[in-house]
Amino acid sequence: RMPASIPEADRWHRSSAAFSLSFLSLVFSITAFISSHWCEGTRKVAKPFCKGDSKGDLCIRFNSPDGNSSQAVQYIWETGDDKFVERNFHAGIWYSCEEMINEDGEKCRSFISLTPASDRGVLWLSIVAELLYVVLLLTGNILMSVEIFYYSSVIDGLKINAFSAVVTVLAGLLGMVAHMMYTTVFQMTVNLGPEDWRPHTWDYGWSYGLAWTSFACCMAAAVTTINKYTKTILEFKHKRKKLERSFKIQYNFPDH
C-alpha cells in the first residue's frame, strides 16, 4: 500500500506548491496595482519667495520690500544663489505624488492626466491588461483550490489541472505585456509630460519589483502545474502498460 500512496502524496505536494505560488502572485499583483511606487525619484522645484517672517532654505528671502521685482530675480542669477530645491516623488499606474514645499504631506495628481495624449491609449491598454491579469490569477487560484480540496476522481482532477495551467500561463503573458507597456508609457511621460512634473532623477520603485516578482511566481506556478499534469499522465501510461503486461502473462500462462 505504501508505494501506491507515494504518487498521491507527491501530487498533493505539487498541487499545494502551485497553489501557494499562484496565491503569492495574486497578492503581489493586487498590491502593486493599487500602489503608487512603480517609479520613484526627485524633481527640481523652483523655490517660492519667502512671505512674512518665513525663514529657512526652502524659500528665497530678500531684505528689499520689492523682493519680487525683476532686479531681485536678476540678483539671484548674478550671485549664483540656488533657486531650486529637490522634492521626492513617486508614481504608479493611477496617480503621482510629490512632497510639498514648506508644508507636510504630499500633493497627488492623476497619472493618466499627466500622460501625453498620444500615449494615453497605451496606458489604458496596460490598465486593462493588469486587470485581466488579476482576474485570471484569481480564476487560477480558485481552480487550484478546487483541485486540492475537492474533486471526485483523478480524471476530474486532471481536467481541472489542465485548465488551471492554461489560465495561469495566459495570466503570466498578460502580466508581462502590461508591465512592459507601463514602462514604455512612463518613459514617454518623462520625456514629453508636463514641465511641472518631469523628474530630475528617477528609478523603478518597490511596486515595480513586486509586479515582476508576481509575474515570476505566476510562471513558476504554471510550470509546476504543467509538470504535475505531465507526470500524472506518464504515471497513468506506466500503470496501463503494467496492467496490459500482467493480462498477457495471465493469458499465456494461466494459473493451474
Side-chain angles (χ1 to χ4, degrees):
R1 292 187 178 183
M2 284 298 293
S5 63
I6 290 175
E8 186 66 30
D10 182 60
R11 281 195 293 271
W12 189 86
H13 287 308
R14 287 174 185 272
S15 298
S16 300
F19 175 77
S20 300
L21 288 167
S22 183
F23 182 75
L24 278 177
S25 179
L26 178 64
V27 172
F28 290 164
S29 65
I30 293 174
T31 305
F33 186 63
I34 62 177
S35 67
S36 62
H37 288 266
W38 285 64
C39 298
E40 300 173 342
T42 59
R43 288 191 61 245
K44 269 193 173 182
V45 182
K47 293 179 182 178
F49 291 107
C50 295
K51 296 179 180 178
D53 297 330
S54 300
K55 295 181 179 180
D57 298 328
L58 298 181
C59 63
I60 301 171
R61 187 172 58 255
F62 295 100
N63 294 326
S64 168
D66 192 20
N68 292 342
S69 67
S70 59
Q71 289 85 0
V73 176
Q74 183 67 24
Y75 169 79
I76 299 171
W77 289 101
E78 289 175 354
T79 57
D81 288 351
D82 186 11
K83 70 186 185 76
F84 292 101
V85 62
E86 287 193 350
R87 300 283 84 188
N88 293 326
F89 87 98
H90 54 90
I93 292 177
W94 298 106
Y95 51 91
S96 173
C97 300
E98 65 181 75
E99 291 179 322
M100 298 180 68
I101 303 176
N102 294 325
E103 293 182 33
D104 294 332
E106 295 179 328
K107 178 180 69 175
C108 295
R109 290 181 282 180
S110 168
F111 183 72
I112 298 171
S113 65
L114 298 171
T115 308
S118 58
D119 297 308
R120 214 161 281 170
V122 180
L123 179 60
W124 279 111
L125 281 175
S126 172
I127 291 173
V128 171
E130 287 284 353
L131 284 170
L132 288 174
Y133 174 53
V134 172
V135 169
L136 287 175
L137 279 176
L138 180 61
T139 305
N141 270 267
I142 293 172
L143 289 171
M144 290 178 188
S145 62
V146 169
E147 181 194 355
I148 293 173
F149 299 111
Y150 176 79
Y151 61 86
S152 56
S153 66
V154 178
I155 299 299
D156 292 338
L158 270 176
K159 291 177 182 178
I160 297 172
N161 186 246
F163 192 48
S164 61
V166 172
V167 168
T168 309
V169 169
L170 285 176
L173 292 175
L174 268 175
M176 179 182 67
V177 171
H179 304 343
M180 292 175 69
M181 282 195 295
Y182 176 79
T183 305
T184 303
V185 170
F186 185 84
Q187 291 174 350
M188 294 299 294
T189 307
V190 168
N191 295 325
L192 304 174
E195 289 283 350
D196 64 341
W197 177 84
R198 294 183 192 177
H200 177 58
T201 60
W202 67 276
D203 202 351
Y204 297 110
W206 62 265
S207 297
Y208 188 78
L210 201 64
W212 282 108
T213 303
S214 168
F215 167 75
C217 290
C218 175
M219 296 312 294
V223 169
T224 305
T225 306
I226 293 170
N227 181 266
K228 174 182 174 293
Y229 177 83
T230 306
K231 190 170 182 180
T232 305
I233 292 294
L234 291 175
E235 286 174 358
F236 269 118
K237 288 183 177 180
H238 180 67
K239 287 180 180 178
R240 183 180 177 183
K241 286 182 179 179
K242 284 180 65 177
L243 195 61
E244 289 177 351
R245 194 178 298 116
S246 65
F247 278 141
K248 284 183 179 180
I249 292 173
Q250 289 182 8
Y251 180 76
N252 294 329
F253 303 100
D255 188 6
H256 296 287

